Amino acid sequence: MDDLYIAATPTSPEVDFRFSQNVLSLKGESYPENAAAFYSDVINQVRSWLAACQGQHIVVNVALAYFNSSSTKVLFNLFDAFNQAAMMGNHVTLNWFHDEEDDTILEFGQELHDDFGALDFHDHALSGA
């Protein structure tokens, strides 16, 4: 599968999914006009790729400074796909980066940690992020 790269815009994050290296990264802000449409192809590609992963170590890096409620719903679907891959025998590390003063992003990460227990969750508080 080809790697997936979508450049960031003022309302959508950078998507840098290097399937060939098992490293997937989301970075920026996420409040596209239609989050479902923006993430639909991303999630479909991730699900297709994950279906072929067996016993892999997958690293997911997420550094979102802001996301709206529409993005939240879609992101949960994405993390659910990673969680299912982990339950199927893959080791999925989720690196959750956030500004140390941003309680909202911190709490969302904690919610992910609670809801998707198969993920190897690592919280990374950054100063001045």
Side-chain angles (χ1 to χ4, degrees):
M1 172 175 278
D2 292 336
D3 293 345
L4 173 64
Y5 181 80
I6 302 171
T9 71
T11 61
S12 64
E14 175 187 78
V15 176
D16 188 6
F17 287 2
R18 298 179 187 194
F19 298 117
S20 60
Q21 300 173 18
N22 293 352
V23 177
L24 314 179
S25 300
L26 281 176
K27 182 178 181 182
E29 297 189 355
S30 182
Y31 54 99
E33 186 171 327
N34 185 338
F38 176 79
Y39 284 104
S40 175
D41 189 49
V42 172
I43 291 174
N44 287 337
Q45 288 194 43
V46 166
R47 287 189 187 277
S48 293
W49 174 68
L50 289 173
C53 290
Q54 298 289 325
Q56 298 292 310
H57 183 202
I58 299 165
V59 176
V60 181
N61 299 311
V62 179
L64 293 173
Y66 173 79
F67 44 89
N68 62 7
S69 58
S70 297
S71 293
T72 300
K73 293 176 186 174
V74 180
L75 288 169
F76 261 88
N77 290 334
L78 181 63
F79 294 119
D80 182 55
F82 292 130
N83 194 62
Q84 289 180 23
M87 291 190 302
M88 298 297 290
N90 296 290
H91 182 100
V92 182
T93 298
L94 173 58
N95 291 310
W96 185 257
F97 298 92
H98 62 89
D99 187 307
E100 65 184 355
E101 296 181 9
D102 191 331
D103 293 337
T104 301
I105 301 293
L106 170 63
E107 290 170 7
F108 186 81
Q110 291 170 337
E111 188 174 345
L112 291 175
H113 181 67
D114 293 341
D115 290 352
F116 301 112
L119 299 177
D120 181 19
F121 183 87
H122 296 270
D123 180 71
H124 301 276
L126 305 173
S127 62

mmCIF file of all heavy atoms in Angstrom, residues 55-84:
data_model
loop_
_atom_site.group_PDB
_atom_site.id
_atom_site.type_symbol
_atom_site.label_atom_id
_atom_site.label_comp_id
_atom_site.label_asym_id
_atom_site.label_seq_id
_atom_site.Cartn_x
_atom_site.Cartn_y
_atom_site.Cartn_z
ATOM 1 N N GLY A 55 0.979 -9.261 13.700
ATOM 2 C CA GLY A 55 2.144 -9.249 14.571
ATOM 3 C C GLY A 55 3.089 -8.078 14.334
ATOM 4 O O GLY A 55 4.280 -8.189 14.600
ATOM 5 N N GLN A 56 2.548 -6.978 13.885
ATOM 6 C CA GLN A 56 3.366 -5.799 13.580
ATOM 7 C C GLN A 56 3.442 -4.868 14.786
ATOM 8 O O GLN A 56 2.560 -4.852 15.637
ATOM 9 C CB GLN A 56 2.763 -5.023 12.403
ATOM 10 C CG GLN A 56 2.702 -5.808 11.116
ATOM 11 C CD GLN A 56 4.080 -6.079 10.558
ATOM 12 O OE1 GLN A 56 4.898 -5.179 10.429
ATOM 13 N NE2 GLN A 56 4.351 -7.346 10.243
ATOM 14 N N HIS A 57 4.513 -4.065 14.842
ATOM 15 C CA HIS A 57 4.588 -2.964 15.797
ATOM 16 C C HIS A 57 4.253 -1.700 15.023
ATOM 17 O O HIS A 57 4.967 -1.326 14.094
ATOM 18 C CB HIS A 57 5.963 -2.857 16.441
ATOM 19 C CG HIS A 57 6.025 -1.760 17.475
ATOM 20 N ND1 HIS A 57 7.191 -1.175 17.861
ATOM 21 C CD2 HIS A 57 5.052 -1.135 18.189
ATOM 22 C CE1 HIS A 57 6.938 -0.242 18.775
ATOM 23 N NE2 HIS A 57 5.646 -0.205 18.977
ATOM 24 N N ILE A 58 3.173 -1.068 15.415
ATOM 25 C CA ILE A 58 2.666 0.119 14.734
ATOM 26 C C ILE A 58 2.780 1.295 15.691
ATOM 27 O O ILE A 58 2.397 1.188 16.860
ATOM 28 C CB ILE A 58 1.189 -0.096 14.315
ATOM 29 C CG1 ILE A 58 1.097 -1.280 13.339
ATOM 30 C CG2 ILE A 58 0.607 1.174 13.726
ATOM 31 C CD1 ILE A 58 -0.317 -1.804 13.148
ATOM 32 N N VAL A 59 3.310 2.398 15.203
ATOM 33 C CA VAL A 59 3.446 3.605 16.023
ATOM 34 C C VAL A 59 2.521 4.676 15.457
ATOM 35 O O VAL A 59 2.589 4.995 14.263
ATOM 36 C CB VAL A 59 4.905 4.113 16.038
ATOM 37 C CG1 VAL A 59 5.007 5.423 16.819
ATOM 38 C CG2 VAL A 59 5.825 3.055 16.625
ATOM 39 N N VAL A 60 1.675 5.206 16.324
ATOM 40 C CA VAL A 60 0.744 6.270 15.943
ATOM 41 C C VAL A 60 1.104 7.507 16.755
ATOM 42 O O VAL A 60 1.070 7.472 17.989
ATOM 43 C CB VAL A 60 -0.723 5.858 16.208
ATOM 44 C CG1 VAL A 60 -1.673 6.969 15.783
ATOM 45 C CG2 VAL A 60 -1.053 4.548 15.504
ATOM 46 N N ASN A 61 1.473 8.569 16.081
ATOM 47 C CA ASN A 61 1.826 9.833 16.729
ATOM 48 C C ASN A 61 0.719 10.841 16.463
ATOM 49 O O ASN A 61 0.412 11.129 15.303
ATOM 50 C CB ASN A 61 3.152 10.374 16.168
ATOM 51 C CG ASN A 61 4.296 9.418 16.410
ATOM 52 O OD1 ASN A 61 4.486 8.938 17.519
ATOM 53 N ND2 ASN A 61 5.060 9.125 15.371
ATOM 54 N N VAL A 62 0.141 11.367 17.534
ATOM 55 C CA VAL A 62 -0.946 12.330 17.388
ATOM 56 C C VAL A 62 -0.571 13.603 18.139
ATOM 57 O O VAL A 62 -0.316 13.560 19.344
ATOM 58 C CB VAL A 62 -2.282 11.774 17.921
ATOM 59 C CG1 VAL A 62 -3.394 12.804 17.790
ATOM 60 C CG2 VAL A 62 -2.644 10.488 17.193
ATOM 61 N N ALA A 63 -0.529 14.699 17.406
ATOM 62 C CA ALA A 63 -0.224 16.014 17.989
ATOM 63 C C ALA A 63 -1.243 17.006 17.439
ATOM 64 O O ALA A 63 -0.958 17.779 16.531
ATOM 65 C CB ALA A 63 1.201 16.436 17.632
ATOM 66 N N LEU A 64 -2.440 16.933 17.993
ATOM 67 C CA LEU A 64 -3.503 17.824 17.556
ATOM 68 C C LEU A 64 -3.666 18.933 18.590
ATOM 69 O O LEU A 64 -3.904 18.665 19.767
ATOM 70 C CB LEU A 64 -4.816 17.053 17.390
ATOM 71 C CG LEU A 64 -4.828 16.024 16.257
ATOM 72 C CD1 LEU A 64 -6.106 15.207 16.290
ATOM 73 C CD2 LEU A 64 -4.668 16.722 14.908
ATOM 74 N N ALA A 65 -3.554 20.158 18.141
ATOM 75 C CA ALA A 65 -3.673 21.297 19.044
ATOM 76 C C ALA A 65 -5.128 21.664 19.294
ATOM 77 O O ALA A 65 -5.463 22.268 20.314
ATOM 78 C CB ALA A 65 -2.930 22.493 18.459
ATOM 79 N N TYR A 66 -5.989 21.272 18.356
ATOM 80 C CA TYR A 66 -7.421 21.565 18.497
ATOM 81 C C TYR A 66 -8.182 20.646 17.564
ATOM 82 O O TYR A 66 -7.713 20.327 16.466
ATOM 83 C CB TYR A 66 -7.732 23.018 18.127
ATOM 84 C CG TYR A 66 -9.209 23.295 18.099
ATOM 85 C CD1 TYR A 66 -9.920 23.508 19.273
ATOM 86 C CD2 TYR A 66 -9.912 23.311 16.899
ATOM 87 C CE1 TYR A 66 -11.288 23.726 19.255
ATOM 88 C CE2 TYR A 66 -11.291 23.523 16.872
ATOM 89 C CZ TYR A 66 -11.969 23.735 18.048
ATOM 90 O OH TYR A 66 -13.326 23.938 18.034
ATOM 91 N N PHE A 67 -9.363 20.200 17.984
ATOM 92 C CA PHE A 67 -10.280 19.490 17.098
ATOM 93 C C PHE A 67 -11.692 19.746 17.581
ATOM 94 O O PHE A 67 -11.953 19.864 18.776
ATOM 95 C CB PHE A 67 -9.972 17.993 17.003
ATOM 96 C CG PHE A 67 -9.666 17.334 18.314
ATOM 97 C CD1 PHE A 67 -10.675 16.803 19.089
ATOM 98 C CD2 PHE A 67 -8.364 17.258 18.763
ATOM 99 C CE1 PHE A 67 -10.397 16.198 20.301
ATOM 100 C CE2 PHE A 67 -8.076 16.668 19.979
ATOM 101 C CZ PHE A 67 -9.082 16.133 20.746
ATOM 102 N N ASN A 68 -12.610 19.834 16.635
ATOM 103 C CA ASN A 68 -13.998 20.126 16.991
ATOM 104 C C ASN A 68 -14.752 18.823 17.257
ATOM 105 O O ASN A 68 -14.216 17.717 17.118
ATOM 106 C CB ASN A 68 -14.670 20.972 15.905
ATOM 107 C CG ASN A 68 -14.744 20.261 14.568
ATOM 108 O OD1 ASN A 68 -14.423 19.082 14.451
ATOM 109 N ND2 ASN A 68 -15.165 20.990 13.551
ATOM 110 N N SER A 69 -16.012 18.952 17.620
ATOM 111 C CA SER A 69 -16.789 17.766 17.999
ATOM 112 C C SER A 69 -16.980 16.817 16.825
ATOM 113 O O SER A 69 -16.997 15.592 17.012
ATOM 114 C CB SER A 69 -18.135 18.177 18.593
ATOM 115 O OG SER A 69 -18.863 18.956 17.676
ATOM 116 N N SER A 70 -17.120 17.341 15.612
ATOM 117 C CA SER A 70 -17.261 16.469 14.443
ATOM 118 C C SER A 70 -16.003 15.642 14.234
ATOM 119 O O SER A 70 -16.068 14.451 13.923
ATOM 120 C CB SER A 70 -17.542 17.293 13.182
ATOM 121 O OG SER A 70 -18.761 17.965 13.302
ATOM 122 N N SER A 71 -14.861 16.264 14.422
ATOM 123 C CA SER A 71 -13.596 15.534 14.288
ATOM 124 C C SER A 71 -13.458 14.496 15.392
ATOM 125 O O SER A 71 -12.936 13.399 15.159
ATOM 126 C CB SER A 71 -12.411 16.502 14.352
ATOM 127 O OG SER A 71 -12.405 17.355 13.233
ATOM 128 N N THR A 72 -13.928 14.821 16.583
ATOM 129 C CA THR A 72 -13.823 13.895 17.707
ATOM 130 C C THR A 72 -14.494 12.569 17.388
ATOM 131 O O THR A 72 -13.930 11.498 17.620
ATOM 132 C CB THR A 72 -14.460 14.510 18.969
ATOM 133 O OG1 THR A 72 -13.783 15.717 19.279
ATOM 134 C CG2 THR A 72 -14.379 13.558 20.144
ATOM 135 N N LYS A 73 -15.709 12.656 16.836
ATOM 136 C CA LYS A 73 -16.441 11.424 16.504
ATOM 137 C C LYS A 73 -15.663 10.576 15.507
ATOM 138 O O LYS A 73 -15.562 9.361 15.646
ATOM 139 C CB LYS A 73 -17.812 11.781 15.925
ATOM 140 C CG LYS A 73 -18.737 12.426 16.918
ATOM 141 C CD LYS A 73 -20.037 12.834 16.253
ATOM 142 C CE LYS A 73 -20.914 13.611 17.221
ATOM 143 N NZ LYS A 73 -22.122 14.134 16.572
ATOM 144 N N VAL A 74 -15.102 11.219 14.512
ATOM 145 C CA VAL A 74 -14.382 10.485 13.478
ATOM 146 C C VAL A 74 -13.063 9.941 14.024
ATOM 147 O O VAL A 74 -12.667 8.817 13.709
ATOM 148 C CB VAL A 74 -14.150 11.387 12.249
ATOM 149 C CG1 VAL A 74 -13.404 10.645 11.167
ATOM 150 C CG2 VAL A 74 -15.470 11.906 11.719
ATOM 151 N N LEU A 75 -12.408 10.736 14.849
ATOM 152 C CA LEU A 75 -11.143 10.279 15.427
ATOM 153 C C LEU A 75 -11.370 9.040 16.301
ATOM 154 O O LEU A 75 -10.534 8.136 16.338
ATOM 155 C CB LEU A 75 -10.492 11.398 16.233
ATOM 156 C CG LEU A 75 -9.899 12.530 15.388
ATOM 157 C CD1 LEU A 75 -9.523 13.714 16.264
ATOM 158 C CD2 LEU A 75 -8.697 12.037 14.606
ATOM 159 N N PHE A 76 -12.505 8.984 17.004
ATOM 160 C CA PHE A 76 -12.796 7.784 17.786
ATOM 161 C C PHE A 76 -12.880 6.560 16.884
ATOM 162 O O PHE A 76 -12.438 5.474 17.255
ATOM 163 C CB PHE A 76 -14.088 7.969 18.597
ATOM 164 C CG PHE A 76 -13.833 8.342 20.018
ATOM 165 C CD1 PHE A 76 -13.699 9.657 20.395
ATOM 166 C CD2 PHE A 76 -13.705 7.361 20.990
ATOM 167 C CE1 PHE A 76 -13.439 10.004 21.710
ATOM 168 C CE2 PHE A 76 -13.451 7.693 22.315
ATOM 169 C CZ PHE A 76 -13.313 9.015 22.670
ATOM 170 N N ASN A 77 -13.440 6.716 15.698
ATOM 171 C CA ASN A 77 -13.496 5.593 14.751
ATOM 172 C C ASN A 77 -12.089 5.168 14.337
ATOM 173 O O ASN A 77 -11.808 3.976 14.207
ATOM 174 C CB ASN A 77 -14.298 5.976 13.503
ATOM 175 C CG ASN A 77 -15.776 6.135 13.801
ATOM 176 O OD1 ASN A 77 -16.297 5.546 14.742
ATOM 177 N ND2 ASN A 77 -16.446 6.941 13.005
ATOM 178 N N LEU A 78 -11.230 6.135 14.140
ATOM 179 C CA LEU A 78 -9.846 5.831 13.765
ATOM 180 C C LEU A 78 -9.140 5.090 14.902
ATOM 181 O O LEU A 78 -8.499 4.056 14.679
ATOM 182 C CB LEU A 78 -9.104 7.128 13.418
ATOM 183 C CG LEU A 78 -7.663 6.988 12.973
ATOM 184 C CD1 LEU A 78 -7.563 6.199 11.666
ATOM 185 C CD2 LEU A 78 -7.041 8.379 12.784
ATOM 186 N N PHE A 79 -9.285 5.577 16.124
ATOM 187 C CA PHE A 79 -8.626 4.929 17.251
ATOM 188 C C PHE A 79 -9.240 3.547 17.532
ATOM 189 O O PHE A 79 -8.551 2.640 17.979
ATOM 190 C CB PHE A 79 -8.659 5.817 18.494
ATOM 191 C CG PHE A 79 -7.855 7.067 18.317
ATOM 192 C CD1 PHE A 79 -8.448 8.307 18.403
ATOM 193 C CD2 PHE A 79 -6.502 7.002 18.023
ATOM 194 C CE1 PHE A 79 -7.711 9.463 18.217
ATOM 195 C CE2 PHE A 79 -5.757 8.154 17.832
ATOM 196 C CZ PHE A 79 -6.358 9.388 17.928
ATOM 197 N N ASP A 80 -10.518 3.400 17.251
ATOM 198 C CA ASP A 80 -11.151 2.094 17.396
ATOM 199 C C ASP A 80 -10.512 1.094 16.425
ATOM 200 O O ASP A 80 -10.272 -0.063 16.792
ATOM 201 C CB ASP A 80 -12.653 2.203 17.141
ATOM 202 C CG ASP A 80 -13.354 0.879 17.333
ATOM 203 O OD1 ASP A 80 -13.220 0.283 18.422
ATOM 204 O OD2 ASP A 80 -14.019 0.423 16.386
ATOM 205 N N ALA A 81 -10.212 1.541 15.226
ATOM 206 C CA ALA A 81 -9.552 0.658 14.248
ATOM 207 C C ALA A 81 -8.173 0.232 14.762
ATOM 208 O O ALA A 81 -7.797 -0.945 14.648
ATOM 209 C CB ALA A 81 -9.422 1.368 12.903
ATOM 210 N N PHE A 82 -7.442 1.166 15.354
ATOM 211 C CA PHE A 82 -6.125 0.816 15.915
ATOM 212 C C PHE A 82 -6.284 -0.141 17.100
ATOM 213 O O PHE A 82 -5.509 -1.077 17.257
ATOM 214 C CB PHE A 82 -5.367 2.073 16.357
ATOM 215 C CG PHE A 82 -4.948 2.961 15.229
ATOM 216 C CD1 PHE A 82 -5.220 4.318 15.259
ATOM 217 C CD2 PHE A 82 -4.271 2.462 14.122
ATOM 218 C CE1 PHE A 82 -4.833 5.156 14.225
ATOM 219 C CE2 PHE A 82 -3.876 3.287 13.079
ATOM 220 C CZ PHE A 82 -4.159 4.635 13.128
ATOM 221 N N ASN A 83 -7.286 0.106 17.919
ATOM 222 C CA ASN A 83 -7.512 -0.752 19.072
ATOM 223 C C ASN A 83 -7.847 -2.178 18.625
ATOM 224 O O ASN A 83 -7.348 -3.158 19.194
ATOM 225 C CB ASN A 83 -8.637 -0.172 19.933
ATOM 226 C CG ASN A 83 -8.701 -0.814 21.305
ATOM 227 O OD1 ASN A 83 -7.745 -0.715 22.074
ATOM 228 N ND2 ASN A 83 -9.805 -1.467 21.596
ATOM 229 N N GLN A 84 -8.673 -2.303 17.605
ATOM 230 C CA GLN A 84 -9.017 -3.629 17.092
ATOM 231 C C GLN A 84 -7.782 -4.326 16.526
ATOM 232 O O GLN A 84 -7.613 -5.535 16.712
ATOM 233 C CB GLN A 84 -10.100 -3.508 16.019
ATOM 234 C CG GLN A 84 -11.452 -3.127 16.600
ATOM 235 C CD GLN A 84 -12.519 -2.999 15.534
ATOM 236 O OE1 GLN A 84 -12.412 -3.563 14.453
ATOM 237 N NE2 GLN A 84 -13.563 -2.253 15.841
#
